[in-house]
Amino acid sequence: GGTRSLPMESRGAFRFEQRSLPTDLGGPFTLRAIRKFSDAGTKTNVGSGTNTEVSLSNSYRTIHTFGSDRGLVHVSPNYALPRQQLDLLQMPCDVLVANGLLPSTAVNVGDRWNNDDWALPMLTGVEAVIEQSSTCELKTADDKTATVLFKGRVHGATLGSESTVSISGEFTVHRESGMITSLTATQKEERSPGPVSPGLNVTASIVWVQSPVSTEPGTPDALT
């Protein structure tokens, strides 16, 4: 019988060890990894006094993640993931997807490049794309690290709702290993009300860091 606007604030934190797996496939199908979570959860407040907390159960702490033409797919090797747990794992600017922002050829400070058409939608969680644009620029570089600025905009649909997402940020790359060691970004989304989701006008701040660790004994060498 009408519409209501409600303020919303949500915070999420994730900590996990990840083993990336090699593949001969190209595009988004290059993204393959096994993750072992030690912490994953969100706390959300909607309106005045409606609070929700979601955390990843111990049964789902090991997750197999791989890229597809529909985005990242998360699978538990032992149990079917409930919807609530699966939604929790859909992180903006996922560390695997961020690798799609790296240049395919050598670049110099000040150079700019575009990304493959799968990278930005997967990075922002847009499922169906009408139009998009994205650019990266090498800001600084020395013998050990390089800093890259990135920005983009994608218009399409998520969960059947029309959505427009813009994103900007920067990340640091360890030049010898090629690992992105840190990323900060601001993502803004305007989503129309749809059949299974409310309308949204959201600004998200994203920060993460990662560093090499030794592989735990018994960590699988392949997805199952």
Side-chain angles (χ1 to χ4, degrees):
T3 60
R4 296 179 62 192
S5 297
L6 297 172
M8 179 184 72
E9 182 176 359
S10 183
R11 295 179 179 270
F14 303 85
R15 183 183 295 273
F16 56 90
E17 294 186 357
Q18 173 176 279
R19 180 173 187 170
S20 296
L21 303 175
T23 176
D24 295 330
L25 301 175
F29 303 99
T30 60
L31 309 180
R32 297 166 64 85
I34 295 173
R35 294 174 170 176
K36 291 188 175 181
F37 284 85
S38 57
D39 185 30
T42 60
K43 296 181 179 180
T44 304
N45 176 269
V46 179
S48 56
T50 303
N51 302 306
T52 303
E53 293 189 27
V54 180
S55 60
L56 193 63
S57 301
N58 290 333
S59 301
Y60 311 114
R61 290 299 174 99
T62 297
I63 295 294
H64 293 183
T65 299
F66 53 95
S68 74
D69 54 5
R70 303 183 310 277
L72 279 186
V73 179
H74 303 286
V75 178
S76 167
N78 300 314
Y79 309 100
L81 278 168
R83 181 77 253 177
Q84 189 179 58
Q85 302 282 283
L86 184 60
D87 289 343
L88 176 63
L89 296 173
Q90 304 293 332
M91 295 174 280
C93 293
D94 190 283
V95 294
L96 267 183
V97 182
N99 291 328
L101 300 176
L102 295 172
S104 57
T105 60
V107 294
N108 298 313
V109 172
D111 286 351
R112 298 182 179 183
W113 63 93
N114 301 119
N115 310 118
D116 290 339
D117 57 7
W118 60 266
L120 182 61
M122 192 179 292
L123 197 73
T124 57
V126 177
E127 297 171 345
V129 178
I130 298 174
E131 61 178 354
Q132 64 167 311
S133 63
S134 64
T135 57
C136 294
E137 179 184 350
L138 182 58
K139 179 183 178 182
T140 62
D142 56 31
D143 293 339
K144 294 183 178 180
T145 63
T147 302
V148 176
L149 304 177
F150 68 95
K151 62 180 179 180
R153 181 182 183 276
V154 56
H155 176 64
T158 303
L159 298 175
S161 300
E162 184 178 3
S163 178
T164 299
V165 180
S166 61
I167 188 169
S168 62
E170 69 176 50
F171 58 86
T172 301
V173 184
H174 183 259
R175 298 189 65 178
E176 183 177 353
S177 65
M179 172 182 282
I180 298 177
T181 56
S182 65
L183 179 146
T184 60
T186 299
Q187 178 171 314
K188 298 182 179 182
E189 178 178 5
E190 295 184 6
R191 185 187 304 182
S192 301
V196 295
S197 64
L200 297 173
N201 188 345
V202 173
T203 298
S205 298
I206 302 139
V207 178
W208 56 253
V209 296
Q210 65 173 339
S211 59
V213 296
S214 57
T215 303
E216 288 187 6
T219 301
D221 293 320
L223 299 179
T224 57

